Amino acid sequence: MKFATLPDGTKDGRLWIVSRDMTRAQPAIGAHTMQELMERWDEVEIQLEMEYEAVNNGLGGGFEPAAALAPLPRAWQWLDGSAFDSHGALMEKVFGLEGAFKPDFPFMYQGLSDRFYGPTQDVRFPTEDDLIDFEGEFGIITDAVALGTTATEARTHIRLVVQINDWSLRRIAPLEMKAGFGWVRAKPACAMAPVAVTPDELGPAWRDGRVDLALNIWWNDVKFGAANGYAMSAGFDELIAHAAYSRDLVPGTVIGSGTVSNENYREVGSSCIAERRGIEMIDDGDAKTGFMRFGDRVKMEVFDAAGDSVFGAIDQKVVKA
Amino acid sequence: MKFATLPDGTKDGRLWIVSRDMTRAQPAIGAHTMQELMERWDEVEIQLEMEYEAVNNGLGGGFEPAAALAPLPRAWQWLDGSAFDSHGALMEKVFGLEGAFKPDFPFMYQGLSDRFYGPTQDVRFPTEDDLIDFEGEFGIITDAVALGTTATEARTHIRLVVQINDWSLRRIAPLEMKAGFGWVRAKPACAMAPVAVTPDELGPAWRDGRVDLALNIWWNDVKFGAANGYAMSAGFDELIAHAAYSRDLVPGTVIGSGTVSNENYREVGSSCIAERRGIEMIDDGDAKTGFMRFGDRVKMEVFDAAGDSVFGAIDQKVVKA
């Protein structure tokens, strides 16, 4: 199934069910909002599958992905991992953190979740001097996950897969990281691509709790990266189990992969500017690519084997707050 | 004004207005839930002041603080500071982090906010081996705070003052801190004392965006500490401004002081076990006080100059999950 949330004047928006080809949609009847869907998934799943079949068969009206809110416009919990080791290694280089402590558990922080930007909303920052960067990620949304849930058990709790842009301020990020408390000022609200999909929609590209597809990124219409999501050192199932070690996960918990990154980054490119700068530091001794300026745009989109968009596009402009 | 939230079968509970002496209460009419109150404060304040006067004059029924939920049973955002320098210094000792990076901004992390335990709810942990500790704190709840709000402007956004127990797992906390991503597994849900109060209720004890009162703590009925809340190196107004640097703060944002701690900790005691262990390490070479065991209780309560309870008591038992 595919879902989007369209504006209706409320903070949570209205849940719509979207056709497989993303050309048609209609308001969901089984659940009014995405949050309600995550709380009542088991009860309403069969109803929604029937609605999905109907919209695939021509029911509903035209769907305009760019008009959507984030599929979950606000969440009770957003936990972002950092599961791509090649990203971690490059960020150590950029931040001057070589030799930093490596835990024997997945990296994860709790981030701002009271708002996820829609896919085409402008993103506000105080100043370019904070070194504005995008971070392309995959994410999942869970239903209720009990404390102590194992990675194997966690797989059935991955109800939806989403695509995320985790906005970051690189001047502040290493300082907050060195303080050990994680990120507050360096990580304002993230954005989500317009459509959330059930894992089965990904077909063979959903493997081992990972998305085996490239995340295409353009910065001001210039192709920037196409790293594949499969290279996570811990899958989403393991990230869920990590998070649920000492807490119940509330329905509608969003868990992120961290910046998608591959070892062959020189061929596939990167999913954030800081990584490219790390590569430049390795290859040329210093970083020459600058960060984003007000007015810059970033676009992120994922295509399946047939060349069709999976989540719709994130296409955002950076503006002064 | 004084507020509590009582169970009504919903996740947010029902907002009640509580008499100054905390013996009487009645359901609030101006707002149905604490979250609604924080979203509509300016609209409903006068109405609620009239309701408060009525309950102080004998309207309503008996109030049983121990039956209350947290004043805000779930929040869209919980940002916890660490504003007591003597706490920071002792924790460095305990965690072996002497010489760690000291930022020129307040320490702050984003924590689990989808649930705050009520004042007498049992707290579930996977194992005693994680080294279970309480942390007594003060906190505030804000209405909407716009990105870029200054510390001076922030004062009017401090709508309510609360008392918090920030549960912590000390085996995990230093590992997550060294990883730089802040705490996920080490910081499950916090608890709140039953009553939230407007700053004016504190009289002269509300000074410079700080609570100038002692936080009394008993561990299994033995007095453990009575540190004063005024010693924050950054007041709540400054913590708000720090948080709002690059984000709008959603109404109902809860901001914590960090563990209340004073330089004369040998006289006043501590607000967490780890601190006492740090003092023992300094004084005796090693820590002899153990952490909490299943079945242990912790009680926390604040009294005003007249000896009356300000927020009601937190009184929780630790149990196996």
Side-chain angles (χ1 to χ4, degrees), chain A residues 97-159:
Chain A
L97 295 171
E98 288 97 336
F101 173 73
K102 294 267 193 320
D104 61 356
F105 50 81
F107 287 105
M108 183 175 283
Y109 72 94
Q110 181 143 8
L112 188 166
S113 64
D114 59 80
R115 175 184 192 177
F116 283 90
Y117 283 108
T120 61
Q121 282 184 294
D122 292 348
V123 182
R124 300 155 61 230
F125 294 106
T127 169
E128 292 174 346
D129 296 341
D130 285 337
L131 310 179
I132 301 164
D133 200 357
F134 48 83
E135 290 193 11
E137 306 196 4
F138 291 106
I140 56 98
I141 311 181
T142 74
D143 57 8
V145 178
L147 186 156
T149 294
T150 65
T152 305
E153 294 163 346
R155 293 202 176 188
T156 60
H157 295 288
I158 300 174
R159 294 307 191 177

Side-chain angles (χ1 to χ4, degrees), chain A residues 130 184-185 245-247, chain B residues 130 184-185 245-248:
Chain A
D130 285 337
V184 174
R185 292 187 307 162
Y245 172 76
S246 56
R247 62 177 68 183
Chain B
D130 285 337
V184 174
R185 293 186 307 163
Y245 172 77
S246 56
R247 62 177 68 183
D248 299 308

Side-chain angles (χ1 to χ4, degrees), chain A residues 11 39 74-77 79 82 101 103 105 107-115 124 126-127 130 147 169 171-172 175-188 242-243 245-248 250 321, chain B residues 11 39 74-77 79 82 101 103 105 107-115 124 126-127 130 147 169 171-172 175-188 242-243 245-248 250 321:
Chain A
K11 295 188 180 74
E39 290 172 6
R74 56 178 181 172
W76 289 107
Q77 182 166 250
L79 299 170
S82 183
F101 173 73
F105 50 81
F107 287 105
M108 183 175 283
Y109 72 94
Q110 181 143 8
L112 188 166
S113 64
D114 59 80
R115 175 184 192 177
R124 300 155 61 230
T127 169
D130 285 337
L147 186 156
L169 298 174
R171 180 184 69 77
I172 301 167
L175 301 174
E176 291 192 328
M177 193 173 178
K178 282 180 199 167
F181 278 52
W183 299 287
V184 174
R185 292 187 307 162
K187 297 274 192 184
H242 176 75
Y245 172 76
S246 56
R247 62 177 68 183
D248 300 308
V250 67
Chain B
K11 295 187 180 75
E39 291 172 6
R74 56 178 180 172
W76 289 107
Q77 183 166 248
L79 300 170
S82 183
F101 173 74
F105 50 81
F107 287 105
M108 182 175 284
Y109 72 94
Q110 181 144 10
L112 189 165
S113 63
D114 59 79
R115 174 183 191 179
R124 300 154 62 230
T127 169
D130 285 337
L147 186 156
L169 298 175
R171 180 184 69 77
I172 301 167
L175 301 174
E176 290 192 328
M177 194 173 176
K178 283 180 198 167
F181 278 54
W183 299 285
V184 174
R185 293 186 307 163
K187 297 274 191 183
H242 176 75
Y245 172 77
S246 56
R247 62 177 68 183
D248 299 308
V250 67

